[in-house]
Amino acid sequence: MIDFLALTVLLAGCFFIFAGTVGMLRLPDVYCRLHAMTKADNLGLLLICVSLSLLDGRPRTALLLLLVWLLALLASTVSAHLIARHSRARRPPTGNGPVDYDSAGSRR
Amino acid sequence: MTAAVVVDILLGLILVGLAAQVAIGKHLFRAIVFYVAFGLAMALIWSRLGAPDLALADAAIGAGLTGALMMVAFRQLVEIDPKQSQAQVTRGSALAVVIAVLAAGMVATIGLTALSLERQPGNAGLQVLATLPDTGLGNPITGVLLAFRGFDTLIEMTVLLTAFVGSRVITTRSRLSVTTISGFELPLVRTLVAVILPLAVLIGMHLLWIGSDQPGGAFQAGSVLAGSGVLLLLTGTLLPAPHSRALVRLALVVGVGALCMLVLAPLLQGKVPMAYLGRGSLLFAETAMMVSIAVTLTLLFAGSPSLKAGR
Amino acid sequence: MSSAIFVLVAAAIFGLGVHGLLVSAHIMRKLLALNLMLSALFLLLIVVPATIEGRPDPVPQALVLTGIVIAVSTTAFALALMVRLFRKQGHATIHPDIDPDLLGRRHDRHQPEADNEQAP
Amino acid sequence: MKAYDTLMLALVFIPLGTALIAVMLPPTRRRWAVLLGGLAWPCVLVPLSLAIAREQTLTLVFGGWSPPLGIGWRLDALGLVVLWVHALVGIAALPGAWQRFEPEKPESGPFWSLWLILATGVNLATLAADLFNLYVALELTTLAAVALIATDDGIAALSAAMRYLLLAVLGSLMYVLGVGLVYAQTGSLAMHQPGVVELNNVALVLMLTGLMVKAAIFPLHVWLPHAYSNAPGPVAAIMSAVVGKVALVALWRIWFETAVDPPMLLANLLGLIGAGAIVYGAVAAYLQPRLKMVIAYSSISQFGFLLLLLPLACQQAFQGAGFHLLAHGLAKASMFLAAANIVTVLGSDSIRHLPGLDKRMPLEAFTLALAGITLIGLPPSGGFTGKWMLLSAAWEVQGWFWMVLIVLSGLMSAAYIFRILALTCFHPARRAVHHLHARPPKITSFAALLLALLAVVIGLYPHPVLDLLGSGVPGAGP
């Protein structure tokens, strides 16, 4: 029973990460892509950590995986904020459609 | 085709895909980012092969620090001449492809024929596992690195010191490079430092302490601390200082000095050079090595003789 | 079977590294390619020797750990050298075999900025 | 704990300890510490030479772990010759380094620490009796040498240093792949493995190729000319005398000790590569427009000559090659030191400024001539003894091709040496060089002259060194 539950949670996690990746590739704008990356991937990571701790069963690994998730959360929020702030400083959003360039600075 | 083989093939494909992006990718900055991803995929493969020490080391040093060093070097290139650093100076050539395929073929045949020969385990490895209990250590890698083949580690720490002194030859002539990121004064960034710094130091000490019995040790601990040093430099908590200070110079040298003592101290007691003096001596040497590695790698990132407090 | 896969992966990465080394003139790309080749070598060092009780032989693991630290030291020094070469030469490539004297003369004309800036 | 352990450890831990102290000292006061360390470790060589004369080989095992587990050191006659060359050239290069790297210069602080780290690396690589320990020692030597080349801030020196670093990493990559295969086959990393029946040839070829890149043997020599000719004077001297040779000696050791009986085909192939190096080095040296490049290409030719030991592997050949190693190291270092003085005075070392040099700088001209005698191998000089022993070895082995080659190499090196000497002595100074820079202190010229004289004098009385070398082809092993 536990394995079945863990499997479904794992699949859900993989789906969210897949959604985040598709979002990053398809969405036109830096800001939209940041949304996709941070939100979907963090949720996906959480679900994967939950399923792994279910599979493993020991509370120690559950705590370790929780710490992993918290660190990933902290890192991704701060970096997403800095990227958004950095891109707004270089190309202020004009409001009339997506403003897009890749990180190397050459306009796509 | 068991599940393990499928996982291996997937991991292999990820690794080769990332390596292709690094070697053939168009943009230089993107190649560096893919190299960091390649380092992390490599750490995955090390853990798949059952070598956790290497997974830790490759993630911390191979992906983390090498990537950080390359990015700060790339940033200096962009600062000097923005357009020049994007220049696509690659000229595709069929000959290079032929040579590359031949090299890959050579390595593949060497590896596969070596695999196909009847391979009995190396007796050096067997002896390591056999004599490990005498040293009271649990982790065979730390046993090899510090007790049995400790002299290699001494020279390797000297190589790290040489890399730093060598880069001092070059950086004494140029201005100090700015290492802080834009927007480093944000309160958000300060909370990040406030949370991650103590945690990184804790993880570093933990890796050092369990190093003699479980995967860990001086190199992994030193590189985790160097990672937190890089974080401090990026967020302006620490800034590169132009003039070197005695304490920093001592910290650079203490690792190699401790290992020299490990070699020469047994002579005073009439024993063979580098005779095993018990776990305490190893822990002392590992702590000194951790300090040396952390300070050296952080200063290599900062490109300056020493550091000073930010605000 | 799985070690054969990893040997092929290591060979592929080695080939990509050789290609990257030969094709790109930019020194940063050459360093990236060299690091790829070193990673392939370390993978081979662990996979080729026989495993002991299921786990890879501890001696090659220690050798690879030493190799990783030496690789990062060499790369760190090479990057500092490359930035200095870029600042003085205007481009981060190793000049083909021409007479350094000619190099000297052209260098004076379009020197990007003051040659002997000292640490403040 | 054997009596000579402390002496062998002193060979490495005096320079290493002084280097650590030098890094700790403030940059302005490092010169004195390095002078102390640089003069102290050669004194250990005297008692060690007496010990080697008696016991042929001194061994040391770290931590008491037997070879397949621990790391061992071994010092024999061949290693002692390399250490003597290193000691003599190191001391002779000190005045030049002292004058060129005063504390005021920014790069002088790191230079002095690197100078001793290079010394540590060379001693470690000479003593290493373990394949992976040899790799780490060679890596330390290469990194220190590259950093020392980069102390000269010119574009040519920096790009030469970068090229040398990249090729050295490639070389050590191949070497480590060979070591990995040796470990997979024999399960031990020791250089002398008693139980090995037949080392697999692929591993041997990989290791030899890696070492040939580091020793700059002919087809893989690309980095050497620019590295030696653009490096500061004392650095070029110590590198040409020792750094290239350490990799070559390692190649000999692996050939004789690790590969139990290497195939004769491979020996002859390496002999041919040596022949190619001799011819290419000599022809290229003849065509070079710059004095330092001539000396650098002559190094490539002489390294090829030293490779001839492999096809002629007998007692006399080993003595001849060891002696040639000593003579060539001293002569080449003196030429680079003299060339460094010429460059500081004339401003550039191109051939156009050579005419009239014998009047302007008689000491340097005389040093070039004396060292040239040793390189050509004219009778009184050490070079002749080395060549003569190899000739008689070729006679003994009935290797007619090698005999012709040895004589030919003498002729060809005579060609490029006499070209330089003719320009220096027989042509009047065409036009006064517009301005002469300040002359370096006399001691630097005398140091170079002393080295050249030593290279000739050991030819007059070679017996102690030859008997020492005759103690056994390295294959005998402990």
Side-chain angles (χ1 to χ4, degrees):
Chain A
M1 177 49 195
I2 291 287
D3 292 350
F4 181 71
L5 181 64
L7 189 62
T8 49
V9 172
L10 188 66
L11 282 179
C14 293
F15 167 73
F16 274 107
I17 288 193
F18 177 71
T21 317
V22 165
M24 189 190 79
L25 293 177
R26 294 300 302 163
L27 289 177
D29 195 327
V30 177
Y31 310 105
C32 310
R33 288 211 301 276
L34 282 177
H35 265 293
M37 281 309 296
T38 39
K39 288 197 177 59
D41 274 11
N42 283 345
L43 181 56
L45 185 61
L46 174 65
L47 291 176
I48 288 177
C49 289
V50 163
S51 67
L52 289 180
S53 46
L54 279 177
L55 281 173
D56 191 72
R58 283 177 301 177
R60 184 172 178 281
T61 34
L63 277 178
L64 273 180
L65 289 175
L66 187 65
L67 182 64
V68 165
W69 181 63
L70 283 177
L71 278 177
L73 198 63
L74 189 63
S76 62
T77 43
V78 171
S79 48
H81 177 73
L82 287 175
I83 293 174
R85 208 178 149 282
H86 180 72
S87 63
R88 188 170 59 78
R90 288 170 66 121
R91 287 278 194 300
T94 52
N96 51 17
V99 167
D100 186 16
Y101 67 98
D102 63 31
S103 55
S106 62
R107 200 172 159 71
R108 206 191 298 266
Chain B
M1 286 295 273
T2 64
V5 170
V6 169
V7 166
D8 291 347
I9 292 178
L10 266 180
L11 276 178
L13 287 180
I14 293 173
L15 208 65
V16 173
L18 290 173
Q21 283 294 338
V22 170
I24 309 170
K26 232 163 14 75
H27 286 291
L28 181 55
F29 180 74
R30 207 169 285 175
I32 297 173
V33 172
F34 272 115
Y35 179 74
V36 174
F38 173 83
L40 293 176
M42 203 62 188
L44 266 179
I45 290 216
W46 290 133
S47 47
R48 162 74 186 91
L49 285 170
D53 287 73
L54 296 183
L56 272 169
D58 214 349
I61 299 179
L65 274 153
T66 314
L69 288 169
M70 285 194 173
M71 284 191 192
V72 83
F74 178 76
R75 182 169 136 157
Q76 282 166 7
L77 295 187
V78 170
E79 271 160 18
I80 296 170
D81 184 355
K83 95 182 143 19
Q84 176 52 250
S85 62
Q86 311 296 315
Q88 288 310 313
V89 194
T90 55
R91 45 198 192 297
S93 83
L95 181 62
V97 172
V98 167
I99 294 175
V101 167
L102 282 178
M106 181 191 85
V107 168
T109 40
I110 288 177
L112 292 178
T113 39
L115 280 182
S116 61
L117 300 174
E118 39 79 27
R119 300 172 299 151
Q120 78 282 11
N123 53 28
L126 293 172
Q127 285 191 11
V128 162
L129 295 175
T131 45
L132 201 59
D134 310 349
T135 61
L137 292 172
N139 181 359
I141 319 285
T142 312
V144 173
L145 272 180
L146 278 167
F148 305 124
R149 294 184 64 90
F151 198 66
D152 275 350
T153 315
L154 170 69
I155 306 178
E156 176 207 333
M157 289 297 292
T158 322
V159 168
L160 196 63
L161 181 66
T162 316
F164 173 74
V165 178
S167 71
R168 284 302 302 137
V169 164
I170 292 165
T171 50
T172 48
R173 298 196 187 93
S174 43
R175 281 185 302 274
L176 285 179
S177 61
V178 175
T179 56
T180 52
I181 50 173
S182 63
F184 67 95
E185 69 289 347
L186 283 168
L188 186 68
V189 170
R190 273 204 298 280
T191 46
L192 176 79
V193 171
V195 168
I196 286 195
L197 184 61
L199 207 59
V201 171
L202 184 68
I203 292 175
M205 292 303 165
H206 174 67
L207 280 176
L208 179 76
W209 182 256
I210 61 166
S212 40
D213 295 318
Q214 293 155 25
F219 297 110
Q220 293 83 350
S223 43
V224 165
L225 289 185
S228 51
V230 165
L231 180 72
L232 294 178
L233 279 165
L234 287 177
T235 55
T237 325
L238 281 178
L239 291 174
H243 301 297
S244 73
R245 284 206 299 268
L247 190 65
V248 172
R249 290 201 298 266
L250 180 68
L252 288 169
V253 159
V254 76
V256 182
L259 284 169
C260 287
M261 274 199 285
L262 217 62
V263 172
L264 301 176
L267 291 181
L268 307 181
Q269 304 160 1
K271 293 194 192 135
V272 180
M274 206 154 202
Y276 185 62
L277 299 173
R279 284 176 63 123
S281 68
L282 288 198
L283 196 60
F284 158 72
E286 280 203 295
T287 326
M289 279 164 59
M290 180 186 75
V291 168
S292 261
I293 290 170
V295 170
T296 311
L297 289 175
T298 313
L299 289 179
L300 279 173
F301 179 80
S304 71
S306 75
L307 304 171
K308 63 177 188 271
R311 287 176 302 283
Chain C
M1 178 54 191
S2 76
S3 44
I5 294 170
F6 288 126
V7 163
L8 290 178
V9 163
I13 296 171
F14 193 86
L16 284 167
V18 166
H19 178 77
L21 195 63
L22 294 176
V23 158
S24 52
H26 200 292
I27 295 177
M28 179 84 99
R29 290 213 159 221
K30 284 189 191 290
L31 288 174
L32 280 168
L34 268 175
N35 275 313
L36 281 185
M37 291 164 76
L38 282 169
S39 297
L41 169 73
F42 295 149
L43 191 56
L44 275 176
L45 273 183
I46 293 294
V47 167
V48 165
T51 58
I52 302 174
E53 299 140 11
R55 303 184 71 83
D57 191 331
V59 170
Q61 284 190 42
L63 303 189
V64 166
L65 207 61
T66 311
I68 288 175
V69 174
I70 288 179
V72 80
S73 326
T74 317
T75 310
F77 177 67
L79 288 171
L81 194 57
M82 176 195 71
V83 169
R84 184 68 192 165
L85 202 57
F86 186 81
R87 195 185 296 274
K88 284 187 76 80
Q89 199 175 255
H91 50 78
T93 55
I94 308 172
H95 252 266
D97 269 342
I98 63 168
D99 186 357
D101 278 356
L102 304 179
L103 216 59
R105 266 193 291 282
R106 190 179 315 122
H107 134 74
D108 304 331
R109 269 204 304 280
H110 68 77
Q111 170 58 34
E113 68 212 13
D115 182 20
N116 42 25
E117 68 275 47
Q118 298 302 329
Chain D
M1 199 217 24
K2 286 184 287 202
Y4 299 108
D5 283 0
T6 42
L7 288 178
M8 282 170 77
L9 286 170
L11 274 181
V12 168
F13 282 94
I14 289 180
L16 182 59
T18 329
L20 297 184
I21 294 166
V23 170
M24 275 199 288
L25 284 173
T28 48
R29 280 203 293 280
R30 287 185 185 170
R31 258 194 333 184
W32 295 101
V34 171
L35 182 70
L36 209 64
L39 295 179
W41 75 264
C43 313
V44 174
L45 281 180
V46 176
L48 272 178
S49 314
L50 301 178
I52 295 281
R54 254 198 325 281
E55 290 171 26
Q56 317 308 343
T57 318
L58 300 174
T59 56
L60 176 131
V61 179
F62 282 97
W65 314 106
S66 55
L69 191 56
I71 295 171
W73 268 0
R74 165 254 303 108
L75 181 63
D76 59 3
L78 188 59
L80 197 66
V81 162
V82 175
L83 289 175
W84 270 111
V85 172
H86 179 203
L88 292 172
V89 171
I91 293 169
L94 274 178
W98 195 271
Q99 181 258 337
R100 189 178 186 296
F101 291 97
E102 297 99 359
E104 298 75 31
K105 291 195 176 137
E107 73 271 7
S108 83
F111 169 83
W112 288 107
S113 325
L114 286 169
W115 181 261
L116 274 181
I117 291 176
L118 180 72
T120 317
V122 168
N123 291 357
L124 280 169
T126 319
L127 289 166
D130 178 276
L131 290 173
F132 192 74
N133 197 6
L134 175 67
Y135 157 70
V136 187
L138 283 177
E139 202 64 27
L140 176 65
T141 315
T142 313
L143 199 58
V146 167
L148 282 169
I149 296 174
T151 47
D152 175 327
D153 198 25
I155 287 181
L158 291 174
S159 54
M162 177 56 86
R163 181 181 289 126
Y164 178 22
L165 185 62
L166 291 176
L167 280 170
V169 170
L170 260 179
S172 47
L173 189 128
M174 274 187 273
Y175 177 77
V176 171
L177 186 56
V179 168
L181 291 176
V182 165
Y183 182 77
Q185 178 193 355
T186 63
S188 151
L189 288 169
M191 208 176 262
H192 179 69
Q193 304 183 358
V196 169
V197 172
E198 220 287 331
L199 195 66
N200 99 47
N201 286 337
V202 172
L204 181 62
V205 166
L206 276 173
M207 285 201 283
L208 294 185
T209 327
L211 286 173
M212 276 163 67
V213 170
K214 285 196 178 261
I217 308 284
F218 162 61
L220 310 166
H221 67 288
V222 186
W223 59 269
L224 186 131
H226 288 291
Y228 283 11
S229 59
N230 295 316
V235 174
I238 199 80
M239 277 186 67
S240 61
V242 184
V243 171
K245 297 225 168 38
V246 160
L248 195 70
V249 166
L251 191 139
W252 284 350
R253 286 203 196 290
I254 285 179
W255 181 268
F256 287 110
E257 284 182 25
T258 317
V260 178
D261 64 342
M264 207 47 202
L265 173 73
L266 194 55
N268 289 334
L269 180 67
L270 284 172
L272 279 181
I273 289 176
I278 292 171
V279 172
Y280 174 82
V283 167
Y286 190 80
L287 303 173
Q288 287 306 323
R290 287 176 52 205
L291 176 61
K292 279 190 168 184
M293 290 290 258
V294 170
I295 308 174
Y297 273 106
S298 102
S299 271
I300 293 171
S301 170
Q302 301 294 337
F303 278 169
F305 182 78
L306 287 171
L307 210 57
L308 294 185
L309 169 63
L310 301 182
L312 309 168
C314 68
Q315 184 72 33
Q316 272 189 329
F318 175 68
Q319 284 178 319
F323 200 85
H324 188 81
L325 199 83
L326 178 64
H328 172 262
L330 297 175
K332 190 49 57 72
S334 68
M335 281 184 107
F336 267 116
L337 289 175
N341 282 346
I342 294 170
V343 168
T344 36
V345 172
L346 299 184
S348 108
D349 64 342
S350 79
I351 299 289
R352 293 191 311 279
H353 297 302
L354 278 185
L357 190 77
D358 55 350
K359 295 185 186 47
R360 219 172 261 127
M361 303 176 73
L363 269 177
E364 272 68 23
F366 185 50
T367 313
L368 286 180
L370 261 181
I373 291 173
T374 315
L375 287 182
I376 303 167
L378 297 178
S381 73
F384 170 74
T385 322
K387 280 198 163 90
W388 177 254
M389 301 292 285
L390 273 169
L391 256 176
S392 50
W395 174 269
E396 199 182 299
V397 174
Q398 265 86 35
W400 314 119
F401 172 72
W402 307 121
M403 284 185 64
V404 168
L405 190 67
I406 293 170
V407 172
L408 197 67
S409 85
L411 281 178
M412 282 193 287
S413 38
Y416 59 78
I417 296 284
F418 285 144
R419 170 181 176 239
I420 298 290
L421 293 184
L423 273 172
T424 322
C425 306
F426 303 127
H427 291 261
R430 267 200 289 280
R431 47 176 174 68
V433 176
H434 30 80
H435 59 278
L436 293 180
H437 302 276
R439 285 190 61 79
K442 272 283 178 223
I443 184 167
T444 48
S445 324
F446 281 115
L449 184 61
L450 195 67
L451 271 184
L453 267 174
L454 205 59
V456 174
V457 160
I458 51 171
L460 297 176
Y461 188 63
H463 300 295
V465 179
L466 285 181
D467 303 342
L468 204 63
L469 281 168
S471 57
V473 183

